């Protein structure tokens, strides 16, 4: 396994599929270790697509929006569902947001959801202000590689098209408002210290979703990109446990 590869991956396994989604401005590199370890330990079928506009250049990202990112995930979901009888969607950051979105909108195809530092539209005041203050055709500093581990890095864009901040804000906020419609079993993994997504998002997901089967696990030794951080194998263990517990 090449931990530095940004390419999507598809690991064939048993009849339970896991759709593993990376975050905003990132690539499948950020979830590669978790996906491969989960597959090795459990034999689950694991697919990690590349979201539209990602893995190439910030200029390519500027030509996309939330509909394109969701469409990438939906295409992977439908492809995975054709090969498996049960599907769990797990996502990091914006990937967690998209996991929640797809679970609400495609309940017949999604059996369970896991979010890892997922956003539901709760932002710090400075983050919200940036949506209005940033020039729509410009760029702002990247948000990648928020990792406590000193020797690991996330491959992501070093600058973000400000037009996509509006798209991200719409997607996260709208998905947060849809939480009461979510009914599937849910695993919420959240870093105590997260410099990108407010940890309060975890409380919101737990309190407002309509599911009756919810597990919240705090990650004590990782920052935002927990799938590359000290708790990455703990995440694998939690996902393994979750996949067995879900009906």
């Amino acid at each position: 396994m090449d931990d530095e590869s940004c390419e999507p991956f598809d690991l064939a396994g048993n009849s339970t599929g896991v759709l593993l989604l990376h975050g905003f401005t990132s690539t499948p590199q950020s979830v590669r270790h978790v996906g491969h370890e989960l597959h090795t330990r459990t034999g689950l079928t694991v697919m990690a697509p590349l979201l539209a506009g990602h893995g190439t250049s910030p200029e390519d990202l500027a030509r996309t929006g939330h509909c394109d990112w969701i469409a990438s995930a939906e295409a992977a979901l439908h492809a995975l569902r054709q090969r498996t009888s049960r599907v769990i969607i797990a996502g990091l950051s914006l990937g967690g947001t998209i996991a929640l979105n797809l679970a609400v909108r495609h309940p017949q195809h999604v059996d369970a959801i896991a979010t890892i530092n997922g956003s539901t539209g709760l932002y710090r005041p400075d983050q919200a202000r940036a949506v209005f203050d940033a020039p729509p055709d410009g760029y702002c500093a990247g948000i990648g590689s928020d990792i406590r581990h000193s020797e690991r890095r996330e491959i992501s864009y070093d600058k973000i098209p400000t037009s996509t901040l509006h798209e991200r804000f719409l997607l996260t906020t709208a998905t947060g408002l849809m939480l009461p419609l979510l009914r599937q079993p849910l695993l919420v993994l959240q870093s105590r210290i997260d410099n990108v997504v407010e940890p309060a998002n975890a409380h919101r997901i737990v309190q407002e979703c309509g599911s009756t089967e919810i597990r919240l696990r705090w990650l004590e030794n990782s920052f935002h990109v927990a799938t590359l951080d000290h708790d990455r194998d703990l995440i694998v263990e939690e996902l393994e446990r979750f996949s067995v517990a879900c009906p």
Side-chain angles (χ1 to χ4, degrees), residues 64-104:
T64 68
H66 71 278
C67 289
D68 303 297
W69 310 331
I70 288 176
S72 300
E74 286 177 332
L77 170 62
H78 293 311
L80 185 59
R81 191 74 203 196
Q82 289 179 353
R83 297 162 47 198
T84 57
S85 60
R86 190 168 65 116
V87 170
I88 299 167
I89 306 183
L92 169 67
S93 191
L94 191 71
T97 305
I98 295 175
L100 294 168
N101 188 288
L102 265 57
V104 169

Side-chain angles (χ1 to χ4, degrees), residues 24 60 94 103 120 135-136 152 162 179 211 219 224 230 244:
F24 184 58
D60 282 344
L94 191 71
T120 63
R152 296 178 190 153
T162 53
L179 286 172
S211 175
L219 305 176
H224 182 63
H230 293 287
V244 172

Side-chain angles (χ1 to χ4, degrees), residues 172-209:
T172 56
T173 303
T175 300
L177 294 172
M178 292 161 53
L179 286 172
L181 302 177
L182 191 146
R183 296 289 185 269
Q184 298 94 324
L186 174 65
L187 171 65
V188 180
L189 302 172
Q190 176 63 55
S191 298
R192 290 280 187 191
I193 302 174
D194 188 328
N195 300 300
V196 178
V197 168
E198 282 292 291
N201 280 279
H203 291 298
R204 183 186 187 186
I205 295 170
V206 169
Q207 292 168 2
E208 297 188 18
C209 77

Side-chain angles (χ1 to χ4, degrees), residues 187-191 215-219 234 238 241:
L187 171 65
V188 180
L189 302 172
Q190 176 63 55
S191 298
R215 173 171 168 77
L216 171 61
R217 176 65 185 265
W218 290 98
L219 305 176
L234 174 60
E238 288 289 343
R241 187 178 299 113

